[in-house]
Amino acid sequence: LAARRAAGARVLRVDDGPRGEVPCDAFLNQNPGAERNSPSLPPEALPLLGPRWAALRSAFARVGERRAARAEAQNFLISFGGEDPADATSTALRALRRVKSPFAAVVVIGPDNPRADALAKLAEGLPVRLERMADMPALMGKADLALVGGGVTMLEACAAGLPTLVATVAGNQEAGAASLAGLGLVRSLGRASELDEIALSRELDALFGNESELTRLSTSCRAAVDGRGAARVAAALLAL
């Protein structure tokens, strides 16, 4: 990196935490809370910290711009990433059997999730569609409420203006989820491995008909994560 910089190249380092001094011209950490935990940077390096700089596909921002206020949540999206190591999807499906409010759900089964057959059996008799290959911007545009793991999917949901419940699937997601939840931008359910079907069903019943809270979550999350971070990063690099 030092040799490339000496030759005149501009170096953007993308990282998710402080790891000692970083030789670069700009440093990107798009995780929520990164603004308060900046790494040791060379004095000339430009810090690009927090979800304002999140490099998301522009399709999520377009979904957010088109989102209209909804009086109730009936379309529910569930996604726990590629593998879902805690099998939180199964817990969510069991919770849906307890939900009293009307709903229709789309459950995204990640490509590395080995439980597709078992999940299909759990979904039998429920108003649930299972998706293996998913167009996430399109699904988020149709959804009124989502349950996702932390990480990038959480940021994509915020950019789409989608009210979101978060259950983290990895330790490195916990700080970011806690940061957004602390600001009232998402609702945190803790770790996916500790997700409780009874508590989840009650949370869903409380939210599905809560127009004011759904509107608040949609407006606030999109204001904080507008999905235009990639353009901001590109402009910052061109200005160096």
Side-chain angles (χ1 to χ4, degrees):
L1 290 180
R4 289 183 180 274
R5 292 180 69 211
R10 293 289 182 262
V11 174
L12 169 69
R13 179 156 177 169
V14 182
D15 212 333
D16 62 0
R19 304 175 192 274
E21 185 159 310
V22 179
C24 59
D25 297 285
F27 179 90
L28 171 63
N29 180 352
Q30 66 186 22
N31 290 329
E35 310 93 321
R36 300 184 295 277
N37 191 26
S38 59
S40 175
L41 295 173
E44 70 276 12
L46 178 66
L48 310 176
L49 304 174
R52 183 173 182 272
W53 301 95
L56 309 175
R57 284 184 285 161
S58 59
F60 293 102
R62 291 194 295 271
V63 168
E65 290 166 359
R66 294 194 298 265
R67 183 170 295 277
R70 303 174 191 187
E72 57 185 1
Q74 292 189 347
N75 299 305
F76 185 38
L77 175 64
I78 300 170
S79 176
F80 282 102
E83 185 178 359
D84 186 13
D87 195 18
T89 305
S90 291
T91 303
L93 287 170
R94 288 192 293 269
L96 289 180
R97 292 201 177 275
R98 298 174 176 271
V99 169
K100 299 178 177 63
S101 306
F103 71 89
V106 173
V107 176
V108 178
I109 304 174
D112 299 319
N113 190 326
R115 308 178 191 88
D117 292 341
L119 292 170
K121 288 182 179 179
L122 275 175
E124 287 179 357
L126 288 170
V128 167
R129 185 175 86 249
L130 304 181
E131 293 263 0
R132 193 74 182 189
M133 298 296 291
D135 180 346
M136 290 301 287
L139 291 179
M140 288 185 178
K142 294 175 182 177
D144 306 313
L145 180 67
L147 170 62
V148 304
V152 174
T153 305
M154 175 181 68
L155 296 178
E156 291 169 344
C158 287
L162 179 58
T164 299
L165 304 171
V166 179
T168 57
V169 299
N172 63 0
Q173 296 177 352
E174 292 177 8
S179 178
L180 289 191
L183 295 171
L185 308 182
V186 300
R187 294 182 60 154
S188 175
L189 302 178
R191 296 172 179 165
S193 59
E194 300 170 0
L195 195 61
D196 178 78
E197 63 185 81
I198 296 175
L200 175 56
S201 68
R202 290 173 178 166
E203 182 81 4
L204 293 175
D205 272 323
L207 273 176
F208 277 152
N210 191 337
E211 179 182 2
S212 62
E213 178 64 0
L214 292 169
T215 300
R216 186 196 67 78
L217 284 168
S218 178
T219 302
S220 60
C221 72
R222 188 170 170 268
V225 188
D226 65 3
R228 300 300 183 187
R232 289 191 186 95
V233 172
L237 292 177
L238 289 172
L240 289 175

